[in-house]
Amino acid sequence: MSKDCIKIADDYTGYALSNFCVPRHYEEDLENVLIPWGLIQDRTERLARDIFQDIRDEPLTALCVLKGGYRFYTDLLDKLTTLNRFHASVSVQLHVDFIRLKSYENDDSTGDIRVIGGDNLSNLRGHNVLVVEDIIDTGRTMSRLLAILQKYEPKSVKVASLLVKRRPDSTGYRPDYCGFEVPDKFVVGYALDYNEYFRDLNHICVINDTGKAKYKIQQNSH
C-alpha cells in the first residue's frame, strides 16, 4: 500500500530564486524553487524511517535508477545507515545495486525504456529489493522496469520515489514510498535533469521556456 505523499497544489507558485542560492549559470532558466534542498532532506529522513520500520530485521538490496536517482538514493541510504547505528533492537543489512535506463529526450517521454547500464540483475534473486527513483511521471517506465525485475525472482520489490507527477495520462501507478506529489510541470535539480543539464542544482525547480530552448537537443533532419 502506498504511503501518503506531500501534495503540492497546481496553483502553488513556489519560492523566488532570489531567496535561495542558485548557480548563476541557471538563473535565467528557472521559474521558481519548487522544493528547497532542506525540505527534501527532512522528507527523505521520514521516508527512511518508514522503510526501516517496514523492513525491520531483513536484508535489503537498494537498487538505484541512474542517473536522476543518485542524489535521492545517496541521501536515503545515509539516513538508513544512521538508523542502523541508533536502533539496537532493529538492524537492516543494506546492499547496493544499480541500473540505468533511458526514456527521455527533451521534455517528452519516448514511451519505452532501454536498459543501458547496470549490474547483473540475477544478483537480486531471493532478495528484498527497494527500487529508488527520482520521479514517477506517467508510471509506464516504472511498470516496465518492475516487469523486468520480476523475471529475476526477487523475494519482494518495493519502490521509493522522491516525486510523483500529476499527469492526465498517468497509468495510476503509485510507489510504496513517495516524497512529494507535484504538478504537471517539468522540474529539474537535485540530480533531475533536462537533457543532462541542471543535475548540479541543489533545489528542485521549475524550468522555464528560456531554459528549455537553451538546452534543447537539436534534431537531425535528413
Side-chain angles (χ1 to χ4, degrees):
M1 182 178 179
S2 176
K3 305 287 184 181
D4 289 337
C5 283
I6 294 177
K7 294 184 180 180
I8 298 177
D10 289 338
D11 59 355
Y12 179 66
T13 57
Y15 300 90
L17 299 179
S18 59
N19 290 333
F20 294 91
C21 294
V22 174
R24 188 160 55 89
H25 51 272
Y26 291 143
E27 285 180 348
E28 296 179 355
D29 308 321
L30 303 169
E31 287 186 12
N32 56 57
V33 175
L34 189 69
I35 310 174
W37 179 83
L39 182 55
I40 297 169
Q41 295 303 306
D42 283 356
R43 181 63 179 145
T44 302
E45 185 173 10
R46 178 54 199 248
L47 293 179
R49 192 173 81 178
D50 289 344
I51 293 165
F52 189 82
Q53 291 175 343
D54 288 348
I55 297 297
R56 299 192 69 81
D57 290 316
E58 294 198 22
L60 178 67
T61 296
L63 179 63
C64 178
V65 179
L66 296 170
K67 297 180 182 175
Y70 82 87
R71 288 283 299 271
F72 178 47
Y73 181 84
T74 301
D75 289 339
L76 183 66
L77 261 62
D78 282 347
K79 296 179 192 320
L80 284 168
T81 301
T82 299
L83 289 168
N84 267 336
R85 290 204 307 269
F86 293 104
H87 285 74
S89 61
V90 178
S91 183
V92 176
Q93 186 180 41
L94 294 170
H95 303 275
V96 299
D97 210 339
F98 301 88
I99 192 169
R100 188 176 174 193
L101 311 173
K102 185 69 174 177
S103 64
Y104 278 97
E105 201 166 83
N106 295 325
D107 58 347
D108 295 319
S109 175
T110 61
D112 61 350
I113 65 171
R114 293 185 293 126
V115 179
I116 57 176
D119 291 347
N120 186 353
L121 294 179
S122 63
N123 295 331
L124 302 179
R125 184 167 285 108
H127 287 213
N128 294 306
V129 177
L130 177 72
V131 179
V132 181
E133 175 67 290
D134 54 356
I135 186 167
I136 304 292
D137 272 279
T138 63
R140 289 193 296 267
T141 297
M142 182 54 64
S143 294
R144 293 195 64 180
L145 173 57
L146 292 176
I148 292 170
L149 295 180
Q150 288 296 343
K151 296 177 182 178
Y152 296 91
E153 301 177 349
K155 181 178 179 181
S156 68
V157 180
K158 291 189 175 183
V159 177
S161 182
L162 178 62
L163 305 178
V164 173
K165 188 179 289 187
R166 285 191 301 275
R167 288 179 52 145
D169 57 347
S170 170
T171 64
Y173 172 80
R174 303 288 290 185
D176 302 279
Y177 307 98
C178 167
F180 303 89
E181 183 182 286
V182 297
D184 187 14
K185 299 177 181 179
F186 203 95
V187 292
V188 294
Y190 192 67
L192 285 87
D193 75 301
Y194 179 76
N195 296 332
E196 298 300 327
Y197 292 93
F198 300 98
R199 295 196 193 276
D200 55 337
L201 176 64
N202 273 342
H203 312 294
I204 294 176
C205 301
V206 177
I207 188 173
N208 61 22
D209 290 338
T210 300
K212 287 183 180 181
K214 182 187 295 186
Y215 300 114
K216 184 175 182 179
I217 291 178
Q218 300 302 316
Q219 305 291 340
N220 293 325
S221 57
H222 296 285

